[in-house]
Amino acid sequence: MSRANRTAISPKRSENYPEWYQQVVRAAELAENSPVRGCMVIKPWGYMLWENMQRVLDDMFKATGHKNAYFPLFIPVSYLEREARHVEGFAKECAVVTHHRLEAGEKGKLVPAGELEEPLVVRPTSETIIGETFAKWIQSYRDLPLLINQWANVVRWEMRTRLFLRTAEFLWQEGHTAHATREEAIEETLRMLDVYADFAENWMAMPVIKGEKTEGERFPGAVNTYSIEALMQDRKALQAGTSHFLGQNFSRAANIAFTNEEGNRNLAWTTSWGASTRLIGGLVMTHGDDDGLIIPPKLAPSHLAILPVLHGKADRSGILEYCNRIKEELGATTYHGRNLWVEIDDRDLRGGEKMWSWIKKGIPTWIEVGPREMASKSVFLGRRDKGPKGRKGVDLDEFLATFPQVLDDIQDNLYRRALQFREDHTKRLHCKDDFYAFFTPQNRELPEIHGGYALAHYSGEPEVEEQIQKDLSVTVRCIPQTDGGEPGTCIFTGKPSAGRVVFAKSY
RNA sequence: CGGGCCGUAGCGCAGCCUGGUAGCGCACUUGCAUGGGGUGCAAGGGGUCAGGAGUUCAAAUCUCCUCGGCCCGACCA
């Protein structure tokens, strides 16, 4: 392939999507596999991205009245046992600590010793231990609502893992709240769903559908589960955040009770909600292209790479000084809550090679600065959303004055592009045959990218969901909040349906 | 955990069928020349061929087991 139309990532998305994903994560230096099965090493570029996500989400949680706290990594097995459906849901994927020391064995081996009286589970989620704590903290209605969030790592011993999308250990936040009334708790559940949707759309530039999960997809122990669902470029849905109304299930299990104004003892109503490093996987698959990652400016670890063109008899120090002035001026500029971050890349590499390394990492913009720019007081600006062919010279003063708008324009462009993609691959389907055709690849041996979101009427029988999952690996992603409940007829059973639901293959 | 494919230098691969103890491209190191789309020439470094056991005079190559990766299924943020 000629250099001019070679892509930085191979295979391309259209050739082998899962492999493309792995290659982007590697090429962008987000993360790599570790010696520990199913666990990843998050590299600095990936971790900075996560820190930005954390910061923004954390601000949103604080703005809605939540406070951070930290609870133990280890949970006594007996805690988990208290809520029957919760046990069922998590028992199979728990890492269990049974010993508390190592002793020297044969041939220098270390063997576990000192068996624990009660095994400890490495938290897969913290409802039980936080519930136990809440029970102590809450005595009176005056202690409510209790609005807590925790940033933590959790472990779920998954059978199949993929970097960021599903790893045995992952980073997340889990919010846990307790309320005096059912209504208040439901309100909280939906408020946090809105926070996630706001974050996804306005920060990640990732359009999402908000909705309620069907019974089969519900969090173990929840009364209702809500999620935001994003459509990836292989047209599979990604659950990008969840919010659960837990009713009084966990209050009953942990005895989270309070005395109300009338002096009566009541069980609290609780919620929990979480978003994880999986969001990074979603970002890769929403915006990435065949040249690598594309990071929305509002979350980018770095907004601008300055690539000085230093060669031959060029005025090296003059150019570097010119670059430094740009860096200093932009670095003092606030952009959506933090200062612009600018890097001068003066590595001794060829220009093209250097440029491509930043393209693969997904930096929103880069400028090349050499003698020509110096002479004409300009910069040669590249935008990641437009690709290397779209670079152009811009007057320096104009560049400095408009740079934040350029970033906003990229942010908007990424969102519009992703929204367009979703609309292009969302179909309203009116019969079962069309539904099956929509989700069946032309080539069964080597399935091409197919499907998308199917909006169809569904009367709610769990057996129907089981059947289509068996036939097509398609599930109900959610019952969308937005669809106003236009009634119709279920395309599977012919029974009345209250509204269309969203079907898709999913991660 | 079931079915399929795969594991050879940092990355991508050839060699395996028809055993004779390792090769290619990119990357890396050094030098020179270069230098605005991923450079050229030259000289180098790096692999217990995923791990273990077996068959054999001899195993990357054949057999078995284990581990890891990807896809499909089950499960799942």
Side-chain angles (χ1 to χ4, degrees), chain A residues 227-390:
Chain A
S227 70
I228 54 170
E229 300 282 333
L231 191 66
M232 304 293 102
Q233 292 181 76
D234 60 352
R235 301 188 218 162
K236 288 163 81 172
L238 183 80
Q239 181 173 314
T242 52
S243 189
H244 315 290
F245 170 58
L246 303 173
Q248 294 177 310
N249 293 345
F250 286 90
S251 296
R252 201 171 297 116
N255 195 26
I256 308 172
F258 65 98
T259 308
N260 67 11
E261 286 104 317
E262 286 85 43
N264 300 318
R265 200 101 172 111
N266 285 334
L267 286 177
W269 300 81
T270 66
T271 80
S272 69
W273 28 275
S276 71
T277 39
R278 175 179 245 201
L279 288 169
I280 294 174
L283 189 144
V284 172
M285 292 196 291
T286 298
H287 301 304
D289 66 12
D290 293 335
D291 287 327
L293 182 62
I294 302 181
I295 310 180
K298 285 164 80 173
L299 290 175
S302 179
H303 299 99
L304 173 70
I306 301 178
L307 314 181
V309 178
L310 305 165
H311 54 87
K313 297 169 188 67
D315 173 10
R316 197 185 162 88
S317 62
I319 291 171
L320 283 174
E321 200 195 310
Y322 188 86
C323 293
N324 267 312
R325 280 212 313 276
I326 296 172
K327 174 175 171 163
E328 273 166 33
E329 177 150 355
L330 290 180
T333 305
T334 305
Y335 180 69
H336 294 285
R338 81 192 150 112
N339 280 5
L340 285 171
W341 193 262
V342 178
E343 306 210 18
I344 295 177
D345 184 354
D346 58 359
R347 287 177 299 170
D348 185 19
L349 291 178
R350 275 181 61 87
E353 199 177 342
K354 215 185 266 193
M355 178 179 79
W356 281 103
S357 75
W358 288 105
I359 290 174
K360 286 184 276 192
K361 292 178 85 148
I363 198 158
T365 61
W366 70 93
I367 54 176
E368 288 152 88
V369 176
R372 284 181 226 160
E373 285 72 27
M374 277 261 287
S376 62
K377 292 212 181 318
S378 69
V379 298
F380 197 59
L381 172 67
R383 285 173 52 146
R384 185 60 183 85
D385 62 334
K386 300 210 163 149
K389 287 183 185 126

Side-chain angles (χ1 to χ4, degrees), chain A residues 200-221:
Chain A
E201 301 200 327
N202 295 315
W203 292 84
M204 293 179 68
M206 180 173 80
V208 293
I209 295 180
K210 292 186 285 184
E212 186 179 343
K213 287 294 194 184
T214 59
E215 192 184 338
E217 299 276 322
R218 206 171 279 157
F219 176 77

Side-chain angles (χ1 to χ4, degrees), chain A residues 164-176:
Chain A
F164 291 115
L165 297 172
R166 174 165 295 107
T167 44
E169 178 192 14
F170 57 94
L171 306 183
W172 79 344
Q173 68 49 228
E174 44 181 325
H176 295 269

